[in-house]
Amino acid sequence: MLPPSPAPVKPVAPSAPKAAAARWVAVDWKDLPGWGSDDLLAAWPALLAGCQRPAAGWAEFCARAALQSPTDPLEATLLLMKYLRPWRLAADNGEATGLLTGYFEPQLAASRQRQGAFQWPLHALPADPVLRRTPRSDIEANPRFSALELAYVDDPFGLLQLQIQGSGRLVLRDAAGTERITRVAFAGHNDQPFQSVARALLDRGEVSDATPRTLGDWARRNPARLRDALAVNPRVVYFREEPLPDVNVGPRGAQGVPLTPGRSVAIDRAFIALGTPLWLDSTEPLSTTPLRRLVLAQDTGSAIQGAVRADLFWGWGADAALQAGRTKQPLRLWALWPDGVTPKP
């Protein structure tokens, strides 16, 4: 059963961030589809993580959230309803339905030495700005990049996916067979335009879909054509290596806090402030089953544009990759904002 709504308070009219702004429409809690059905206690750690770097106007709520840690989902729901107010998000033309997609943190087998199938290097960011702009097709022939090779992977399309996602995990084995996982994070790119290798193969009819298995099968059948195929995309992403003391902690998003699988989303900062709790109404991937939950705006992405637009972080590994690849559904969003504070992106 839904908890009762607090006494109504006249909402503060939000200010528009720019001409093509989102409309923030004040609504009641009962207007949020499925509100009260989510386990908000499970979302509380992600909310507290966002409170490490609160947006303007959130300091008071974050202090309360830290002191009044709920012990069950109902208590968590009541705390949010006591101190926050829901606002429906819509585009400036009034359109309230947008798009939900998904992303993940790739995890690839890797080697510190170039050997066997491990022939595809990840590079650190060159200090020389001219060298940094080298297109993909010219990097391997340039000996100055040898000193910048961090590790080697055995999956060229996995490496492309790693560069698209911007961060990932490398599973390394030492001579004794001991496994160690490290993280590589985005350090920059070569300022070249991005072109989809998978799209080029699809357009030529060489693959039937762009799943990792299909692309991997194509690579194994066409080793002599692989480098030319990859050269379609001149953009290269450079990485920096980061320690990973806890494999259960996600990468840091644009807010500067670790992303939580299933609870962190990337948004457009022109319309939504980082750290904002959002009520998400969509469906499970490839399903009509409702996907309604509290998520936190903790990341951004160049492809994430618009008021009603979110990219859900699914986690890391093969299952997360599968879910992310399948996520492309209609979306409605509600922002939760401190009572009495004017919403701003």
Side-chain angles (χ1 to χ4, degrees):
M1 186 175 72
L2 294 181
S5 298
V9 177
K10 185 177 180 180
V12 178
S15 59
K18 60 183 186 180
R23 291 182 178 180
W24 290 63
V25 181
V27 299
D28 193 77
W29 289 103
K30 63 181 174 55
D31 297 324
L32 277 60
W35 178 255
S37 62
D38 185 24
D39 181 1
L40 295 189
L41 190 63
W44 211 258
L47 187 148
L48 292 180
C51 278
Q52 294 174 20
R53 299 193 175 189
W58 281 87
E60 183 177 351
F61 170 81
C62 285
R64 286 170 170 165
L67 291 174
Q68 302 180 40
S69 296
T71 57
D72 59 56
L74 178 60
E75 186 180 358
T77 302
L78 291 173
L79 277 172
L80 292 184
M81 296 178 71
K82 182 177 181 180
Y83 296 117
L84 303 180
R85 284 290 177 270
W87 300 78
R88 180 173 61 84
L89 294 177
D92 195 51
N93 63 3
E95 178 57 55
T97 300
L99 177 66
L100 177 69
T101 52
Y103 70 117
F104 69 105
E105 185 180 29
Q107 181 166 297
L108 302 176
S111 170
R112 291 294 188 190
Q113 292 78 38
R114 179 173 252 157
Q115 57 180 335
F118 295 94
Q119 295 292 320
W120 307 95
L122 290 75
H123 292 95
L125 180 70
D128 183 344
V130 175
L131 185 66
R132 190 179 306 168
R133 291 179 53 83
T134 304
R136 179 184 302 275
S137 58
D138 297 334
I139 283 181
E140 187 151 347
N142 192 326
R144 296 177 64 187
F145 278 92
S146 298
L148 298 171
E149 293 169 351
L150 298 173
Y152 306 85
V153 299
D154 61 352
D155 181 357
F157 285 104
L159 177 56
L160 278 180
Q161 187 64 63
L162 178 67
Q163 295 188 348
I164 292 170
Q165 298 293 330
S167 70
R169 300 175 178 213
L170 302 181
V171 182
L172 298 154
R173 291 184 183 275
D174 61 22
T178 302
E179 184 177 281
R180 184 172 69 87
I181 301 177
T182 188
R183 173 173 283 138
V184 286
F186 178 86
H189 60 69
N190 62 349
D191 295 326
Q192 301 294 324
F194 171 81
Q195 299 292 334
S196 173
V197 175
R199 171 50 57 190
L201 292 173
L202 284 166
D203 290 345
R204 295 200 300 262
E206 299 203 41
V207 295
S208 58
D209 58 64
T211 61
R213 174 176 292 182
T214 298
L215 294 173
D217 288 344
W218 184 91
R220 283 185 287 274
R221 294 195 311 269
N222 300 276
R225 301 172 56 201
L226 190 49
R227 294 189 187 281
D228 287 340
L230 298 176
V232 165
N233 178 26
R235 172 166 292 188
V236 171
V237 168
Y238 302 114
F239 296 97
R240 65 176 182 275
E241 192 167 347
E242 296 181 347
L244 186 60
D246 186 348
V247 296
N248 296 310
V249 174
R252 291 185 181 274
Q255 193 187 6
V257 301
L259 302 178
T260 302
R263 295 293 179 177
S264 296
V265 293
I267 46 79
D268 186 342
R269 291 182 66 180
F271 302 101
I272 301 171
L274 287 171
T276 303
L278 301 166
W279 183 252
L280 179 154
D281 176 31
S282 185
T283 58
E284 297 283 352
L286 302 181
S287 169
T288 58
T289 302
L291 175 63
R292 294 165 175 162
R293 64 176 60 172
L294 185 73
V295 295
L296 283 300
Q298 295 177 331
D299 205 2
T300 59
S302 60
I304 313 305
Q305 298 181 1
V308 193
R309 179 74 173 91
D311 205 24
L312 180 61
F313 178 68
W314 283 103
W316 45 87
D319 290 343
L322 187 62
Q323 286 291 80
R326 291 173 170 175
T327 305
K328 193 173 184 180
Q329 294 94 244
L331 168 71
R332 292 190 295 167
L333 280 178
W334 289 259
L336 311 186
W337 203 261
D339 188 22
V341 178
T342 302
K344 292 180 180 179

